Amino acid sequence: MIAMYLICPTRKPSFLGFVLGLFVVTLTFSSASPALAETAGKVEELGDGQQRVTLTQTVEPSFHIEPIVHRFAARRGTTIPFRFEIRSTGKAMNVSVLPVKLRQEMSGIILHDATGEAPDEIKFTSPTEFKLAPGETTFIEGEVTVPLAKSNYLSFGVLVRDNGQRSADDNTDNNGQRIGAAVRFVTQYVLRIDIETGVKDLSQMNQLAFESGLIDSQAGMPVAEAVLVNPTEFAFECNVRGSVESASSSRPRPFRLSMSSRSSLNDEKKYIVRIMPHSKVRVSAPVEETLFPGNQTFKVEVTNGRRAMAEQTYPVSVAGGDFPALEVSHAYLDQELSVGPAQIEVGDSDSAKRSCNLRFSNNSEKQKMVKAELIDLDGQPIEGIRLSSSEFEVKPGRTKTIRASVSTRSKSETTKFGTVRLSISDSEQGATLIKELPLALVVGGRPAESIEMGELQSLVEGDMTSFRLSVTNNGHGYVPIHGQLQVASGKEQAIELADGYGRWLRPGETRELAFQPRKPLPAGKYQLKLHVETTEGAEPFDQTLVVDLGQQLLLN
């Protein structure tokens, strides 16, 4: 089923194309009350003489082909036969088949290049134009010759297209009273023949290069991104590895980057990077380790097996608050020592684990000494929780793990809240730094939460507009807070903003959630959808507002 959303301000015609099978839709607009010929439709008045027209059409491809991608392993100079099965879904068709050059988008998706020259390596042994009767099955057959290319991976394209048929006649009323729609459906498949050549001489792969690299903040978490460029005439299959290093990190943890087109895969295939000739692809990966404030280096390299090929480094400057979601899971105790998790929960309950590992990371060249105490919100010692070590050292550039667990002699019958008070010093300075991590001992049920929401406010600073929401915890225990704000104008894609990320709100504490767009918002009216989540299972807070920039917020 296809739903098409159209904004109709004038009588000018519009042309839309869809590919996954190519559905070509020709539409003619006029401005008054619409009627859709043989098409399910819905019309919404948007004001200012505009209407949103939703056309819904159930569509089925006129034929199916298997497989979509043939994968072979062959040496250079070898001729490989191939065969695709094509089956009609119940309509008579005129089918055309032709070899096509392939192109690649930044996401990694491979499409056919309508302007490029067709590859000479593909020869068809079956007809390239034929009729297919309803329900009939036949085969597209041919052979491909593996060229003498110094590449470990080759890919060739085959375009199969049905000429299509009209689902309805144009029914446009020129008197300005109707909207007519005529739909022409065209099914096409871009098939691929992928070949692994086993070539060991990868001198051409050394020409791969990185155009850019950075650590970006996405949903409050650090994400490593790089753009890989292939300037050669050959396709390649490789991996991309990255790491974030600082002057004092002795053991940076490498991670693998992948293309967004393979993000849904869950196995090792997710990390295969296939890059076509004269193409660019964007690769990315979440950075799961703590990024300390200060200057860091993002290192990225192309690898083939254990061999590193192209390599590039990019300077990265990290400031506190750059990655707020990361700081919920990892606490910066100072500029050099961190611990994760930053919020500690243990308990004798179905909703809490009996133990929790605390991992301290020392990103300095100095030894750190740590003393840990467990106290409640009134400053008194907490009973019922045991630490595997309350005084310990963290060596330069290394990590130290201790365990917090429910004591077997615990007599607590109610949930308790407090902090892990950490006293931190190093081998060079005598001063002691005090930091506290929130701590919860969950026994039985949790106390009822009492959250007070303020009014959503807009804040203008220069040409930037942001939104603020104050949240107050009137209850007796910690409450996690996560807020999401959708900003929609009806003219562009809605902007999704977030803050809070589950950071616990202390009893009696008021915190302001900040929703900051990355670019200026043009003047006009916006619909804001606010969604705030707290404890799992609790009813979320939802509100829809309308704001006119420069004016007060109005409840919708």
Side-chain angles (χ1 to χ4, degrees):
M1 180 175 291
I2 293 179
M4 293 163 282
Y5 302 95
L6 314 171
I7 305 299
C8 308
T10 68
R11 300 182 185 180
K12 296 181 180 180
S14 175
F15 187 80
L16 302 178
F18 297 84
V19 176
L20 181 63
L22 182 65
F23 306 108
V24 180
V25 184
T26 304
L27 302 159
T28 305
F29 302 101
S30 55
S31 59
S33 59
L36 304 177
E38 299 181 12
T39 304
K42 182 178 69 173
V43 178
E44 300 173 72
E45 298 291 341
L46 301 181
D48 298 328
Q50 292 189 336
Q51 298 172 323
R52 185 197 306 272
V53 181
T54 303
L55 305 181
T56 304
Q57 180 84 44
T58 300
V59 179
E60 181 183 4
S62 58
F63 61 88
H64 292 294
I65 295 183
E66 292 183 357
I68 300 299
V69 179
H70 263 308
R71 291 186 172 88
F72 300 104
R75 295 183 178 181
R76 294 181 299 169
T78 304
T79 298
I80 307 170
F82 62 82
R83 188 189 209 194
F84 295 95
E85 180 182 288
I86 177 172
R87 175 175 55 84
S88 169
T89 59
K91 298 178 182 179
M93 300 182 304
N94 294 316
V95 180
S96 60
V97 181
L98 65 156
V100 290
K101 184 179 180 180
L102 298 174
R103 64 180 178 87
Q104 191 170 28
E105 297 184 337
M106 290 281 282
S107 65
I109 293 176
I110 298 176
L111 304 171
H112 80 281
D113 185 352
T115 62
E117 295 183 2
D120 297 329
E121 291 84 357
I122 293 180
K123 305 295 182 184
F124 294 104
T125 57
S126 61
T128 56
E129 293 187 359
F130 55 90
K131 293 183 178 181
L132 200 61
E136 182 182 0
T137 297
T138 189
F139 297 93
I140 300 170
E141 298 177 319
E143 57 187 27
V144 58
T145 301
V146 184
L148 303 177
K150 291 183 178 181
S151 172
N152 62 347
Y153 166 76
L154 300 166
S155 188
F156 302 94
V158 176
L159 180 65
V160 183
R161 175 181 291 172
D162 168 28
N163 290 332
Q165 53 186 315
R166 295 282 289 274
S167 67
D169 293 332
D170 285 341
N171 191 21
T172 304
D173 190 338
N174 294 324
N175 64 11
Q177 298 300 313
R178 307 184 69 185
I179 296 178
V183 183
R184 181 180 178 88
F185 300 102
V186 177
T187 301
Q188 72 175 26
Y189 285 82
V190 178
L191 311 177
R192 291 210 328 263
I193 302 171
D194 291 354
I195 303 172
E196 296 179 7
T197 65
V199 169
K200 302 299 182 182
D201 181 2
L202 298 178
S203 56
Q204 294 291 329
M205 189 182 287
N206 281 321
Q207 297 186 45
L208 296 179
F210 291 100
E211 181 179 83
S212 61
L214 55 82
I215 305 295
D216 190 23
S217 178
Q218 297 181 13
M221 292 292 290
V223 175
E225 289 188 353
V227 174
L228 180 63
V229 180
N230 180 5
T232 76
E233 299 289 339
F234 309 110
F236 296 103
E237 183 177 281
C238 61
N239 296 106
V240 177
R241 183 172 60 200
S243 61
V244 180
E245 306 174 2
S246 65
S248 57
S249 58
S250 60
R251 295 182 180 181
R253 293 160 53 181
F255 49 84
R256 292 180 291 179
L257 291 81
S258 63
M259 303 181 297
S260 61
S261 62
R262 306 181 72 85
S263 60
S264 62
L265 300 177
N266 296 319
D267 55 14
E268 290 296 309
K269 294 180 181 178
K270 174 179 181 178
Y271 300 103
I272 296 175
V273 176
R274 295 187 176 113
I275 183 167
M276 305 303 292
H278 302 289
S279 297
K280 299 179 182 181
V281 294
R282 178 178 287 107
V283 291
S284 63
V287 180
E288 298 179 351
E289 61 181 291
T290 305
L291 295 181
F292 287 89
N295 295 324
Q296 315 276 340
T297 299
F298 172 37
K299 178 182 177 181
V300 62
E301 57 188 355
V302 173
T303 63
N304 179 47
R306 296 183 178 180
R307 181 182 176 187
M309 314 289 284
E311 179 182 310
Q312 186 66 49
T313 58
Y314 298 94
V316 177
S317 179
V318 178
D322 281 354
F323 311 109
L326 179 66
E327 294 181 21
V328 173
S329 59
H330 293 74
Y332 297 108
L333 303 178
D334 58 16
Q335 299 297 307
E336 302 168 334
L337 184 68
S338 72
V339 61
Q343 303 173 152
I344 305 157
E345 179 181 272
V346 294
D348 190 7
S349 168
D350 292 339
S351 62
K353 297 181 179 180
R354 291 189 60 85
S355 64
C356 174
N357 288 332
L358 305 182
R359 185 174 184 266
F360 292 80
S361 298
N362 185 356
N363 194 51
S364 74
E365 298 177 352
K366 299 168 289 185
Q367 184 167 278
K368 300 284 185 175
M369 282 74 74
V370 181
K371 179 181 178 181
E373 301 174 90
L374 306 180
I375 59 174
D376 63 21
L377 297 179
D378 295 323
Q380 301 301 314
I382 287 184
E383 296 181 354
I385 302 179
R386 182 176 60 87
L387 295 176
S388 60
S389 178
S390 58
E391 292 190 47
F392 52 90
E393 299 173 347
V394 187
K395 296 181 180 180
R398 305 298 291 272
T399 64
K400 173 72 175 181
T401 300
I402 67 170
R403 180 185 293 267
S405 58
V406 178
S407 173
T408 56
R409 294 179 291 179
S410 174
K411 298 180 180 180
S412 178
E413 297 180 355
T414 59
T415 296
K416 296 180 179 180
F417 299 96
T419 63
V420 180
R421 179 176 292 172
L422 300 171
S423 302
I424 305 155
S425 59
D426 59 45
S427 54
E428 296 182 4
Q429 299 178 352
T432 299
L433 179 67
I434 305 296
K435 288 287 185 177
E436 293 185 345
L437 306 178
L439 171 68
L441 172 61
V442 181
V443 179
R446 301 172 186 268
E449 65 178 47
S450 177
I451 297 296
E452 179 183 344
M453 303 287 179
E455 293 185 359
L456 185 65
Q457 301 288 335
S458 62
L459 178 65
V460 179
E461 296 178 336
D463 61 348
M464 298 297 295
T465 301
S466 61
F467 304 92
R468 300 288 192 269
L469 176 71
S470 64
V471 183
T472 301
N473 181 4
N474 293 324
H476 301 287
Y478 292 115
V479 177
I481 298 294
H482 177 61
Q484 296 171 298
L485 183 67
Q486 183 187 81
V487 183
S489 66
K491 298 179 181 179
E492 299 179 354
Q493 184 175 358
I495 302 172
E496 304 287 345
L497 306 173
D499 195 17
Y501 305 106
R503 182 185 293 276
W504 292 358
L505 195 63
R506 187 185 179 100
E509 179 185 1
T510 297
R511 184 183 305 154
E512 188 176 68
L513 302 183
F515 304 99
Q516 177 68 60
R518 292 193 174 190
K519 61 181 182 180
L521 297 176
K525 289 185 178 181
Y526 290 83
Q527 177 179 270
L528 309 178
K529 290 187 177 181
L530 177 65
H531 178 79
V532 181
E533 297 177 352
T534 56
T535 306
E536 184 178 356
E539 189 73 19
F541 176 80
D542 290 290
Q543 192 175 46
T544 300
L545 305 165
V546 173
V547 58
D548 191 343
L549 290 185
Q551 304 295 325
Q552 293 183 345
L553 290 176
L554 304 173
L555 183 61
N556 189 16

